Amino acid sequence: MSEELLPPEQIQAIRAKAISQPLVENIYTADPSAHVFDGKIYIYPSHDIEAGIPFNDNGDHFGMEDYHVISMDSPDSPAVDNGVALHVKDVPWAARQMWAPDAAKKGDLYYFYFPAKKADDIFQIGVAVGDSPIGPFVAQPEPIKGSYTIDPAVFEDEDGEYYMYFGGIWGGQLQHYRKNQYDATLSEPADHEPQLGPIVAKMSDDMLEFAETPKEILILDENGQPLLAGDHDRRFFEASWMHKYDGKYYFSYSTGNTHFLCYAMGDSPYGPFTYGGRILEPVLGWTTHHSIAEFEGKWYLFYHDSSLSSGITHLRSVKMAEITYDKDGKINTLKPYRD
Ligand code: FUB
């Protein structure tokens, strides 16, 4: 695989047809996890930089070092970059690659969750705590016990329980795990076998640990059968997110190498979930990653593309667009660029 950049005229045309523009342009941002805390929108993104590492399937070119929090008073207000909230040098266990984060509020405290590679090149997930939604956050000395791979998304259910969803194949290393155990010799299942599902664990009361052994989530097709590893247009790749709409749980995710954002619906935070369709068609840039949040009765998709950097896959920009549901609760698919 190589990174092919588009000619400038094509980039201009894509920018002109985009359904939304980057929320901030002073830095590159990606993987937005959006929440409404105290009536305001807070977006917890990756902070993309040019780390000078060549493009590869492991995502080593995503060499991020810190996090900034973006805030907005409302969907129509300017987005504010609140500066550095956490830096890799302040995380005792982390060596590099500060990938897609998320945050949760419980009581008066804010918990910032992030994946990073340790010195041994294995991803784990850490937590840092602060008393403001924009940080700064103070990292716990060790990663969360029993955590692995990438892309934590923390969901607060209506009963006050919190769940972390995580995992990602290829660069995210999920293919090296079965039943929460690491084995470097393991790889993705064969095409005709069930896919590797995302992982979920309930959080402890203090939000710093898992309260239970992480479980694999089942995503089923229309016949009630698990999605297969070879079903690249629908199978889970990375970028877990959970939201609840009209009493149903919506687990959404990226299909990675086919570049779709998809969702599956269920009746429990643990699943099983039944594949529901696409939320967003492919964006400019290899990765696609998102979150979904409600603000004053409207629902918004937060996503990213690489149009600001003229198509450089690891220099992305966070955007937002409204999403709608049909009468059966299906999400109407968005196209990121008008025809
Ligand atoms: O930003 C680095 C990685 O790219 C994220 O962890 C993935 O979800 C993908 O967006």
Side-chain angles (χ1 to χ4, degrees):
M1 192 196 311
S2 69
E3 187 169 34
E4 283 168 28
L5 295 183
L6 295 173
E9 334 55 89
Q10 231 168 310
I11 293 284
Q12 282 310 331
I14 287 173
R15 285 187 190 149
K17 289 180 179 177
I19 58 168
S20 66
Q21 298 306 319
L23 290 179
V24 295
E25 299 200 359
N26 60 314
I27 55 171
Y28 289 110
T29 55
D31 309 325
S33 292
H35 294 274
V36 177
F37 294 139
D38 305 318
K40 221 171 137 165
I41 300 168
Y42 293 94
I43 305 166
Y44 299 87
S46 300
H47 173 199
D48 282 355
I49 55 168
E50 181 49 78
I53 300 165
F55 184 100
N56 64 27
D57 280 357
N58 260 344
D60 291 338
H61 46 302
F62 293 101
M64 297 84 106
E65 295 177 348
D66 67 11
Y67 295 104
H68 291 219
V69 181
I70 309 294
S71 55
M72 300 172 81
D73 287 340
S74 74
D76 303 319
S77 312
V80 177
D81 166 13
N82 294 284
V84 177
L86 181 70
H87 195 283
V88 65
K89 68 178 169 38
D90 297 318
V91 182
W93 60 269
R96 61 191 144 270
Q97 289 179 274
M98 307 289 267
W99 283 14
D102 192 15
K105 180 182 185 195
K106 186 171 185 186
D108 294 331
L109 291 178
Y110 298 85
Y111 298 86
F112 182 79
Y113 298 94
F114 59 97
K117 273 189 185 162
K118 298 175 297 184
D120 63 2
D121 266 338
I122 309 257
F123 271 112
Q124 273 201 268
I125 295 169
V127 54
V129 186
D131 55 14
S132 159
I134 59 169
F137 300 107
V138 178
Q140 293 291 295
E142 300 288 340
I144 296 175
K145 248 187 277 127
S147 69
Y148 54 98
T149 95
I150 58 165
D151 292 358
V154 176
F155 164 71
E156 180 185 0
D157 207 347
E158 283 158 319
D159 61 3
E161 298 287 359
Y162 292 77
Y163 299 84
M164 181 185 288
Y165 298 84
F166 59 93
I169 57 174
W170 297 20
Q173 306 176 337
L174 184 62
Q175 66 277 10
H176 298 316
Y177 290 84
R178 296 294 185 279
K179 297 191 178 354
N180 304 318
Q181 296 303 313
Y182 180 78
D183 178 347
T185 64
L186 289 171
S187 52
E188 280 177 83
D191 282 359
H192 65 277
E193 291 177 336
Q195 67 160 359
L196 288 177
I199 313 291
V200 60
K202 189 184 275 190
M203 299 304 295
S204 58
D205 284 345
D206 66 6
M207 301 292 277
L208 303 179
E209 301 286 348
F210 294 151
E212 61 186 4
T213 303
K215 301 173 178 53
E216 185 176 348
I217 287 175
L218 261 183
I219 304 179
L220 307 173
D221 66 13
E222 59 287 358
N223 301 315
Q225 296 304 310
L227 291 184
L228 299 183
D231 187 353
H232 287 205
D233 280 355
R234 299 192 296 178
R235 65 94 167 83
F236 171 78
F237 188 98
E238 62 186 3
S240 295
W241 189 255
M242 171 60 69
H243 75 281
K244 214 169 173 180
Y245 172 79
D246 209 10
K248 287 267 179 202
Y249 294 86
Y250 288 66
F251 177 79
S252 48
Y253 58 97
S254 161
T255 62
N257 59 316
T258 49
H259 319 292
F260 300 117
L261 286 180
C262 295
Y263 70 98
M265 295 161 69
D267 295 315
S268 151
Y270 294 105
F273 301 100
T274 301
Y275 179 83
R278 291 182 191 162
I279 304 169
L280 187 71
E281 299 289 354
V283 294
L284 178 62
W286 198 95
T287 68
T288 188
H289 188 129
H290 70 300
S291 61
I292 293 170
E294 183 184 17
F295 187 88
E296 293 183 351
K298 289 187 172 184
W299 288 85
Y300 296 91
L301 176 73
F302 296 79
Y303 64 104
H304 67 227
D305 78 0
S306 294
S307 54
L308 185 66
S309 69
S310 300
I312 299 175
T313 269
H314 57 284
L315 296 179
R316 301 160 290 180
S317 298
V318 167
K319 298 178 155 191
M320 70 186 282
E322 189 179 343
I323 52 165
T324 53
Y325 302 81
D326 74 11
K327 60 174 178 25
D328 299 320
K330 295 267 188 179
I331 297 176
N332 295 314
T333 309
L334 277 182
K335 286 184 179 173
Y337 314 102
R338 293 178 198 92
D339 291 330

